[in-house]
Amino acid sequence: MTLLVFGATGQVATELRALAPVAALGRDAADLTDPTACAAAIEAHRPRAVINAAAYTAVDRAESEEDLATTINGHAPGAMARACADLGIPFVHI
Ligand SMILES: NC(=O)c1ccc[n+]([C@@H]2O[C@H](COP(=O)([O-])OP(=O)(O)OC[C@H]3O[C@@H](n4cnc5c(N)ncnc54)[C@H](OP(=O)(O)O)[C@@H]3O)[C@@H](O)[C@H]2O)c1
């Protein structure tokens, strides 16, 4: 397996899956409210590269759910980036 994508069900991930053979993780396999689990998923899959296409996209609720939005859009991608850096592989955060 070479390319690992977070956000299996989203618009961006759906397009990526149509373009190339990727391993896509849905919320059931990697919940971005748990950044440590996201990093662990990268370490377990040992991909050649990671794309994060998962995001908190309910922008109208982002101010009332600021902590949740910050965890999903900030802390989780940060943990993914650190895991990729540790493995020496590229990380693309959309
Ligand atoms: N679509 C575009 O044209 C476009 C253009 C430029 C940039 N972007 C950016 O690309 C990213 C993805 O956009 P999109 O349009 O694909 O969004 P989307 O269709 O709303 O998909 C969001 C994805 O994130 C997942 N997700 C949300 N919370 C999660 C959580 N706690 N744990 C795991 N997965 C979670 C959703 O899973 P569930 O199905 O389980 O909720 C879904 O798969 C965003 O950052 C967006 O700003 C998109």
Side-chain angles (χ1 to χ4, degrees):
M1 189 273 300
T2 58
L3 185 57
L4 183 65
V5 175
F6 286 86
T9 58
Q11 288 183 40
V12 170
T14 299
E15 294 300 322
L16 288 171
R17 295 170 79 182
L19 290 171
V22 303
L25 301 181
R27 189 188 292 258
D28 55 337
D31 191 328
L32 272 69
T33 61
D34 185 349
T36 302
C38 296
I42 293 169
E43 288 154 11
H45 282 79
R46 294 276 163 173
R48 288 182 56 196
V50 175
I51 299 174
N52 179 32
Y56 181 103
T57 55
V59 291
D60 293 342
R61 291 204 308 270
E63 288 188 12
S64 60
E65 296 184 333
E66 184 177 349
D67 288 348
L68 179 63
T70 299
T71 297
I72 293 172
N73 289 355
H75 300 314
M80 294 176 195
R82 283 188 289 276
C84 289
D86 288 346
L87 293 174
I89 60 173
F91 174 63
V92 178
H93 174 66
I94 301 172

